[in-house]
Amino acid sequence: MAVRYIQSCRLPTPFGVFDMHGFEESDTGKEHVALTLGSLDSDEPMLARTHSECLTGDALYSMRCDCGYQLEEALRAIAREGRGVLLYLRQEGRGIGLLNKIRAYHLQDQGADTVEANERLGFAADLRDYSMCKDMLDHLGIKSLRLMTNNPRKVNALTSYGIEITERVPLHVGRNPHNESYLNTKKSKLGHWFETHQDDDPLQS
């Protein structure tokens, strides 16, 4: 998926002053942003997160997921490191959109898990697309990543687009009584890693 660079600006946050870079998908007009901190010139792998939009978790403080917690912790980690990148991708609800996400939450209120809810609505468990990430990183001159994620599918998807990932950095935050079942389902049905060291995680140092 081709994206084109639009413009950059400074973005002061509670975690530090980032640079925000705007991108637009050529075919759909969908907009994405990258937040960067520190030098982009080094060939050293950059601490990174690709974060899919979650309005309920990122902006409305929902405790049904761990998305908002992960977003904040990723920005904190980048600030501590003094150098890093966060790609914020506009694909709400694992790609099904906000209103369908609300429908899925309703089904979860009736007892479905997060995967069953998507499937009952006629969607795959995860429709997210990471193909735009390569163009965004190429524009920024970022060659390799130390990726903050618990999701093996994300690692596989990014590497399939030619993005070099030298290390997988666990991101375990935000577990609470409201998302316990959600996180357990991500582990049991989607294969997410939730232990610090995993034998089947080839990137875990």
Side-chain angles (χ1 to χ4, degrees):
M1 178 183 299
V3 298
R4 64 188 185 98
Y5 167 72
I6 303 299
Q7 190 54 271
S8 300
C9 67
R10 292 173 66 252
L11 186 71
T13 78
F15 316 104
V17 180
F18 290 78
D19 290 316
M20 182 166 66
H21 314 272
F23 297 85
E24 182 181 64
E25 292 182 13
S26 302
D27 294 339
T28 67
K30 188 177 292 186
E31 300 162 344
H32 310 285
V33 298
L35 300 183
T36 62
L37 183 70
S39 172
L40 303 182
D41 296 332
S42 173
D43 288 334
E44 290 295 313
M46 179 171 276
L47 185 64
R49 173 157 177 80
T50 62
H51 188 91
S52 295
E53 179 182 35
C54 176
L55 176 70
T56 49
D58 298 342
L60 300 179
Y61 308 104
S62 170
M63 299 174 70
R64 298 187 69 136
C65 63
D66 56 344
C67 302
Y69 302 101
Q70 289 186 318
L71 176 62
E72 290 194 13
E73 180 55 30
L75 292 172
R76 286 193 188 96
I78 290 170
R80 288 194 298 266
E81 183 104 347
R83 179 174 177 266
V85 59
L86 185 141
L87 302 185
Y88 195 87
L89 311 176
R90 306 295 301 279
Q91 42 188 1
E92 180 81 42
R94 292 201 209 111
I96 68 174
L98 179 60
L99 296 184
N100 281 322
K101 178 179 175 180
I102 294 172
R103 293 185 178 101
Y105 276 171
H106 174 74
L107 291 174
Q108 291 174 45
D109 289 341
Q110 311 307 310
D113 66 37
T114 181
V115 170
E116 292 167 346
N118 275 27
E119 291 173 344
R120 289 184 192 178
L121 292 173
F123 300 108
D126 193 341
L127 291 174
R128 285 175 294 183
D129 178 12
Y130 299 101
S131 58
M132 74 289 288
C133 297
K134 184 68 164 63
D135 284 350
M136 295 170 73
L137 293 171
D138 284 349
H139 174 83
L140 297 169
I142 298 170
K143 298 178 175 60
S144 59
L145 308 179
R146 294 164 47 229
L147 186 68
M148 291 182 278
T149 186
N150 306 320
N151 184 354
R153 297 185 183 197
K154 183 184 294 185
V155 172
N156 293 337
L158 292 174
T159 55
S160 75
Y161 292 117
I163 297 170
E164 181 183 3
I165 300 174
T166 64
E167 180 186 358
R168 200 273 300 186
V169 180
L171 193 58
H172 303 311
V173 290
R175 183 178 287 270
N176 66 74
H178 301 282
N179 67 20
E180 188 81 22
S181 176
Y182 164 83
L183 294 178
N184 290 340
T185 299
K186 287 210 295 186
K187 179 179 179 180
S188 64
K189 292 192 173 182
L190 298 175
H192 285 216
W193 295 300
F194 283 107
E195 285 73 32
T196 302
H197 295 284
Q198 291 270 341
D199 292 338
D200 60 348
D201 179 0
L203 293 171
Q204 184 63 57
S205 59

